[in-house]
Amino acid sequence: MSDWVSIIHKLRLKQFRKRTKFQLIFIQNMGYQIIDGKKVAKEIQEQIKKEVEHLKQLGQKVPHIAAVLVGNDGASETYVNNKIKACNSVGFQSTLVRLPEYVTENKLLEEVEKLNQNEDIDGFIVQLPLPRHINEQKVIEAIVPSKDIDGFHPINVGRMVLNLPCYVSATPYGIVQLLEYYKIETSGKHCVVIGRSHIVGSPMSILMAKNTPIGNATVTLCHSKTKDLKQYTLQADIIICAIGSPHFLTADMVKEGVVVIDVGITRIESKDSPTGYKLLGDVKFDEVAPKCSYITPVPGGVGPMTIASLLKNGLLAAKKEIYR
Ligand code: NAD
């Protein structure tokens, strides 16, 4: 790609982030559309806020969500703080349970049980990853499914597979909502999901294949053992990339008109940023975007939707809409 084309696309992403009316008009006239997760998440959060206000007016309890944070990992602290902030911004009550890095597995399981039993708590999450001495799966399975708003418990995962009411894990749920919001046709399309984690890739592949309005796609699930991954991505109408490898997906790997959802978030040090780091996606945005019909940026794409979807699950838990 020539330098000036690259400059235009960098400018376009910059302009998307500043989002003045003029700039958005400019952006919309350049072929591909940026999927604005920040905007959609904000709308969802406004809607949740209204519902919470309505509950208050009816004299009902406001949703109360808890988060368990073990240790002092910087990224986990940021994620949990953002979740707590988001809870407060929509009027939820929130509780943060902090435990030291060296907490025993038994002590953590006790805390989970306390939250299970606490009738005032509607739903909660245990921020992952946990320290190595703790069996993560054991902790996930200790959470009562009716309060498992992360949707990681095998009961919720199984119910998702069977198309039964459940909490769908927040990132895949957020992606489905983005596709819905932008009215992106998925039926009959070839969707290539890259990455098969329990949190993103695997549930995403199931959701895209389901007989639901966002679904009915023919899905290929690629992972670290996939041979010649490019032969699959070149056939894809929709690519959902969730591997955590910065700039992995390049222009030569996609066809014209593809929809690209970039889930990856990798923090790298940056002297230019006031925070001291910047976030990189799995997609080489500047060169892939010109070939796309739709694409999510990083940051501002899938990330904000994850939090909005968690809040949605929190509201569902408080209203006892999934488990009565
Ligand atoms: P993970 O490490 O649990 O799983 C990564 C998956 O990618 C694995 O299944 C592996 O097989 C596959 N993979 C790795 N390298 C590959 C390669 N070269 N080719 C093909 N497949 C490959 O990660 P995860 O929890 O699924 O997260 C993936 C990325 O998404 C990370 O960057 C993470 O930070 C990000 N993430 C973002 C959000 C969000 O809200 N935007 C939420 C969750 C995760």
Side-chain angles (χ1 to χ4, degrees), residues 34 64 67 98 108 130-131 143 189-190 202-204 213-214 288:
I34 292 177
H64 186 176
R98 291 203 73 132
L108 175 56
L130 291 170
I143 301 171
K189 303 291 180 189
H190 183 194
S202 292
M204 204 60 240
I214 292 297
V288 173

Side-chain angles (χ1 to χ4, degrees), residues 79 170-172 175 193-202 221-226 229 241-246 248 262-267 280-282 298 301-307:
Y79 293 144
T171 303
I175 294 170
V193 178
I194 315 175
R196 60 174 161 192
S197 73
H198 296 331
I199 294 173
V200 192
S202 292
L221 180 56
C222 296
H223 46 75
S224 50
K225 299 285 189 291
T226 300
L229 190 135
C241 198
I243 60 176
S245 178
F248 174 85
D262 187 355
V263 187
I265 301 179
T266 306
R267 276 176 177 232
L280 294 184
D282 286 348
V298 175
V302 174
M305 290 301 292
T306 297
I307 294 198

